Amino acid sequence: MPELSVIGASHRTAPVEVRERLALAPGQVSALLAAMHAEKVFDEALVLSTCNRTELYVVPRAQADPLACFLDHVGRIRGAPPETPPGTFYRHDDTEAVRHVLRVAASLDSQIVGEHEILGQVKEAYRLAVEARTAGFLLNRLLHRAFRAGKRVRTETDLGRGSASVASAAVELATHVFSDLAGKTVLVVGAGRTAETAARALLGCGATNLIVANRTLDRARQLADAIARGPAEPVCGEDVSCPGADDDQPATCPALVAEAADEMRAEGGLPADAPQAAVHEVTAEAVGLDDLPAAVARADLVITSTSAAEPVLTHAALAPTLRRRRGALLLIDIAVPRDVDQRLGKLDNVYLYNIDDLDRLVARNLQRRRQEIPKAEAIVEDEVEEFARWLASRGVTPTIRLLQKRLEGIQQAQIARYGRRFAEADREQLEVFTRALCSQILHKPLALLKGLSADGSTSERLATADLIRRLFDLDSLDEEAGRDGHTPRQP
Amino acid sequence: MAEFLALGNWLLPLLYLALLVDYGATFFLRTRAHGREPWLLLVVAAHAALLAGRGWHEGRPPLTDTREILSVLALATAAVYAWIEFASGDRRTGVFVLLLAFLFQYTSSILLAGREMEVPAVSAGAAGVWYRLHVVPALVAYVAVAFAGVYGMLYLAASRSLRRHRFGVLFDRLPPLDRLGPMAWHALLTAFVSMTLAIAVAPLLFGGGGNEMTAKVVGKIVTGSAAWLVCAAAVLGRWVGKWGPSRISAIAVAGFVAVMALLVVSGLLS
């Protein structure tokens, strides 16, 4: 029986219509974990459910079928068992399972390799498992190892560097013009989905003022309110994060904003049912297209995505205003046909980008990310090896061997110290006596370990072995053995 | 002591070169882009100690000719940059500023070599308060002009790369435009104020008669006036003509090139 298994379906094995049947909201994950826990299907379990994957990490019990149980509970939550074609689910055991979770946390298994959200999602899954009391000794260690691997990949490689979507490319461009988006005004012209996402990302990264311009003022008002209310549900494949967060600089990414809001909720600073909102104040305003020149004059960043056949921002209307402005203006035109007169991009202090420029930036970043994959894989392998060594060291046999060695060492040291006080004839008796004493001391721990090895749960066995190793400082003995030429075992 | 000063004179350019390599790695290889490290401060401290040692050994401030002034310029450039780096925690522009410091010190060391044992006579003027009130602001002004030139050049390079949609090294490595532009402007403003003070004090220092209009003096007057004119044009353009950062940066670069050329020419002529 494996010590650890992962069973799941992801974008690699299941199309979206299957994944959506398996996807679970946080509340459903908690309910599912509690129900499965009650049925004693596993020692430990964690469910990771994102738009691209639903996975169950378990420390299984003998004769249990975690997948059948999982599907049964998902069926109860959904009202009907989910139909899953053959080949939907994959299963990895032991070291392969460890490798899988580390690759997931390092964003190597993501649809957009290097995207930043997955590590937060793994942390959220872990939090739910801890709350449901289904994360025990092994999953605790494993998940912390996964967080470590994810962080290392992010800081030691360029896997997550640069924007990977049009919306985040807008944010990346903004950070090359403005050192700080605080106090900056974002003008959204039109009501395109990508422009909306980009505006949300810019506000999430610190911009504080929003103007929405639309042909109909009512629609502009609706959109302004919706954007200013805070981040919407994450859009699958939209990796919007603030560049600079991976440069060891503080950044207010949507994910971090959400994390901060969670912390505030936990501390009682925000009501539990408060809507998700940006931590900083955002002022929102709606204008009609007639007021566009005045709005552009006040804006620092303009994102246009109307369906107009002719440019909405014309040279004749805007050039006189833009020539007078001192600060830089970033114009991002993601509409086709284009909304911005190309001559505006030639004005001093005006930086104009169209959808092709953004696509080119994204393509370049994705290419760079692909080049970083081998480095990231090496980090994951390094962490997998360390975890495997640690797991092996918590086995019953090595623990018993080290425990006997520890007691034998104590016995020999004490005989060496006090043996001279005894007569030559008594020394043999002393040796017999101390050996018997040590055997008596060892008897219960060894019986416990052997018992757990025969019929105990994996989690209990590992936790007990770990406790004994710490009580008797067996890891130092292991390290000594490593220095003497044996394989070192690191905690 | 003389041997120690001679050794220091040769070591300093090497120390700046080592810093240049380190900051070059930061810019091109993105290593340690955000950090405050002690090496720059150590080099600045060593440089200051060497200049103080030379002043003590020769019994006068080491500010009497272009060679010594170049060394002080190198020190001031590195020290001001160290302060900027400490304040911002961003070392990405260091390679450009330290290139300047290295060139100043390298030129100074080459020119100073072979004259270690010669101790020029100290004029009465060189020891006075007016002299210091003239020389110190002038030095600050030249350092500020150098900073304005470097940051103006970086602004223009970053702006050009953004305007042409080139997502290359400059796009990746340079700080944002709204950090570079104000740096060039504030440096020019500092240069303007300091040079105005230096020029205002100059008649009090040299106006007493008895000062010959040597090539050295003429060179200083021409260079100082040119620097002041550049700064004044930028200040006037910004405040009256509402010039944007692009034009201010262009002025800063042009002014820096002109002032450095005049400094070198006047140094060669003296």
Side-chain angles (χ1 to χ4, degrees):
Chain A
M1 186 182 65
E3 287 180 327
L4 174 74
S5 297
V6 54
I7 302 157
S10 75
H11 60 96
R12 295 187 190 281
T13 59
V16 65
E17 54 272 21
V18 175
R19 296 204 305 274
E20 69 191 4
R21 281 180 225 138
L22 297 168
L24 298 166
Q28 294 172 325
V29 168
S30 300
L32 183 136
L33 286 173
M36 287 176 75
H37 188 51
E39 289 180 14
K40 301 188 187 307
V41 180
F42 52 76
D43 283 342
E44 301 179 37
L46 175 149
V47 172
L48 172 65
S49 186
T50 74
C51 56
N52 277 327
R53 67 183 65 245
T54 297
E55 291 177 336
L56 174 67
Y57 293 85
V58 282
V59 179
R61 287 189 176 173
Q63 266 102 54
D65 183 354
L67 177 60
C69 181
F70 174 74
L71 288 176
D72 179 41
H73 281 285
V74 171
R76 281 187 221 169
I77 287 168
R78 291 253 177 264
E83 286 175 31
T84 52
T88 297
F89 291 99
Y90 45 83
R91 177 179 177 139
H92 305 294
D93 293 324
D94 297 327
T95 307
E96 280 308 309
V98 173
R99 182 172 290 112
H100 180 80
V101 65
L102 265 58
R103 290 187 80 250
V104 168
S107 193
L108 280 163
D109 198 51
S110 296
Q111 199 160 27
I112 299 171
V113 172
E115 53 101 355
H116 294 181
E117 258 186 287
I118 187 65
L119 189 57
Q121 289 166 330
V122 175
K123 284 182 180 173
E124 174 64 7
Y126 174 62
R127 190 182 65 79
L128 292 174
V130 169
E131 277 181 6
R133 298 177 188 280
T134 58
F137 183 77
L138 184 55
L139 285 184
N140 278 334
R141 293 297 181 121
L142 176 64
L143 267 294
H144 281 97
R145 180 65 63 175
F147 302 151
R148 184 184 142 96
K151 194 171 177 189
R152 274 190 67 194
V153 166
R154 195 164 166 184
T155 53
E156 294 175 26
T157 75
D158 284 347
L159 193 74
R161 195 177 287 275
S163 48
S165 69
V166 168
S168 59
V171 177
E172 186 178 353
L173 286 172
T175 57
H176 283 278
V177 177
F178 307 108
S179 53
D180 187 359
L181 292 181
K184 296 287 181 280
T185 300
V186 180
L187 168 63
V188 178
V189 185
R193 174 71 192 169
T194 311
E196 186 188 330
T197 311
R200 282 183 199 280
L202 288 164
L203 293 174
C205 291
T208 39
N209 308 307
L210 170 73
I211 307 172
V212 178
N214 203 289
R215 210 168 291 281
T216 57
L217 200 53
D218 277 349
R219 175 73 185 116
R221 280 201 193 103
Q222 283 172 6
L223 190 59
D225 286 347
I227 297 174
R229 263 203 307 273
E233 285 300 308
V235 181
C236 230
E238 279 291 5
D239 176 28
V240 277
S241 50
C242 308
D246 48 354
D247 279 340
D248 303 334
Q249 278 189 331
T252 337
C253 306
L256 298 182
V257 170
E259 217 169 272
D262 283 342
E263 280 172 19
M264 287 169 74
R265 276 193 195 92
E267 288 161 14
L270 267 182
D273 57 349
Q276 275 202 329
V279 168
H280 59 272
E281 282 288 320
V282 174
T283 64
E285 192 183 330
V287 296
L289 289 186
D290 292 342
D291 297 324
L292 208 46
V296 171
R298 287 157 54 204
D300 300 291
L301 306 104
V302 180
I303 307 163
T304 67
S305 70
T306 76
S307 51
E310 296 294 324
V312 178
L313 303 186
T314 62
H315 189 266
L318 291 171
T321 314
L322 295 183
R323 281 200 188 100
R324 281 198 300 274
R325 67 179 287 140
R326 269 193 187 174
L329 176 68
L330 180 60
L331 287 173
I332 297 173
D333 182 359
I334 48 182
V336 179
R338 287 175 290 181
D339 281 337
V340 183
D341 188 329
Q342 291 306 289
R343 287 174 295 170
L344 289 176
K346 305 235 182 304
L347 296 176
D348 190 25
N349 247 353
V350 176
Y351 300 91
L352 171 61
Y353 293 86
N354 62 36
I355 187 72
D356 281 357
D357 300 322
L358 269 63
D359 280 341
R360 210 156 45 82
L361 179 58
V362 169
R364 180 201 77 147
N365 290 340
L366 290 178
Q367 170 64 22
R368 285 188 177 179
R369 287 186 183 197
R370 280 192 287 275
Q371 289 168 352
E372 291 295 299
I373 288 175
K375 266 195 241 174
E377 293 280 13
I379 289 171
V380 166
E381 276 313 305
D382 185 36
E383 295 292 336
V384 168
E385 276 176 31
E386 274 210 30
F387 188 81
R389 271 203 297 270
W390 172 83
L391 193 58
S393 75
R394 264 58 190 168
V396 166
T397 310
T399 305
I400 288 175
R401 183 175 47 80
L402 286 173
L403 191 55
Q404 285 170 332
K405 193 173 170 189
R406 169 64 78 202
L407 269 290
E408 194 182 307
I410 293 171
Q411 181 208 358
Q412 292 305 322
Q414 297 311 308
I415 286 175
R417 189 173 175 189
Y418 297 107
R420 273 166 290 165
R421 299 184 190 180
F422 291 85
E424 192 68 38
D426 295 335
R427 282 199 195 145
E428 196 178 326
Q429 285 304 309
L430 177 66
E431 179 123 12
V432 171
F433 165 71
T434 52
R435 196 179 299 133
L437 189 63
C438 287
S439 295
Q440 284 302 309
I441 292 170
L442 274 178
H443 178 72
K444 286 284 181 191
L446 293 186
L448 178 67
L449 280 171
K450 283 172 184 168
L452 287 173
S453 175
D455 52 21
S457 74
T458 305
S459 301
E460 201 180 355
R461 175 168 49 77
L462 290 171
T464 309
D466 187 70
L467 180 65
I468 288 174
R469 288 180 77 97
R470 281 190 286 142
L471 279 174
F472 290 92
D473 190 22
L474 302 186
D475 287 326
S476 64
L477 269 186
D478 228 357
E479 281 165 20
E480 281 167 26
R483 278 198 296 274
D484 294 343
H486 299 88
T487 311
R489 298 184 196 284
Q490 293 171 17
Chain B
M1 185 66 178
E3 287 77 15
F4 172 75
L5 291 174
L7 181 68
N9 186 48
W10 282 113
L11 273 180
L12 269 180
L14 293 176
L15 289 175
Y16 279 111
L17 187 63
L19 280 179
L20 200 57
V21 170
D22 181 35
Y23 279 79
T26 290
F27 185 78
F28 290 105
L29 307 176
R30 266 203 302 238
T31 55
R32 294 174 293 129
H34 301 284
R36 300 176 178 92
E37 297 192 23
W39 306 113
L40 176 59
L41 291 178
L42 286 176
V43 173
V44 168
H47 194 160
L50 189 77
L51 286 181
R54 180 173 291 133
W56 177 75
H57 179 63
E58 298 183 355
R60 62 182 177 81
L63 292 166
T64 50
D65 59 18
T66 306
R67 295 168 288 194
E68 288 179 333
I69 286 174
L70 278 171
S71 185
V72 175
L73 276 176
L75 171 64
T77 308
V80 172
Y81 172 73
W83 178 76
I84 290 172
E85 184 181 304
F86 183 79
S88 68
D90 187 335
R91 63 204 301 274
R92 284 176 292 180
T93 55
V95 64
F96 301 98
V97 179
L98 292 173
L99 173 65
L100 213 60
F102 167 70
L103 289 176
F104 284 149
Q105 185 52 46
Y106 180 74
T107 314
S108 167
S109 291
I110 294 278
L111 294 174
L112 277 169
R115 56 135 271 183
E116 291 304 317
M117 302 303 168
E118 299 168 22
V119 179
V122 183
S123 66
V129 175
W130 291 119
Y131 179 79
R132 282 173 199 164
L133 264 179
H134 169 73
V135 170
V136 172
L139 277 175
V140 170
Y142 286 128
V143 169
V145 166
F147 266 83
V150 169
Y151 282 98
M153 185 192 72
L154 294 179
Y155 178 91
L156 293 176
S159 172
R160 195 180 160 88
S161 110
L162 279 170
R163 193 173 290 283
R164 297 193 169 194
H165 307 165
R166 284 186 185 154
F167 306 124
V169 175
L170 293 178
F171 176 82
D172 283 337
R173 311 290 202 275
L174 287 180
L177 288 180
D178 75 348
R179 195 175 285 171
L180 295 171
M183 288 292 289
W185 160 241
H186 289 134
L188 277 178
L189 192 61
T190 307
F192 175 70
V193 172
S194 302
M195 194 51 89
T196 303
L197 182 63
I199 290 173
V201 172
L204 299 171
L205 179 64
F206 300 109
N211 286 303
E212 285 181 36
M213 270 294 167
T214 58
K216 183 176 169 181
V217 174
V218 172
K220 280 183 179 176
I221 291 172
V222 171
T223 311
S225 304
W228 187 85
L229 280 174
V230 166
C231 300
V235 170
L236 209 62
R238 164 95 177 181
W239 285 346
V240 180
K242 309 289 180 198
W243 287 357
S246 303
R247 204 173 288 181
I248 295 287
S249 296
I251 287 271
V253 174
F256 168 67
V257 171
V259 168
M260 287 305 134
L262 286 171
L263 263 183
V264 171
V265 169
S266 68
L268 291 173
L269 290 178
S270 57

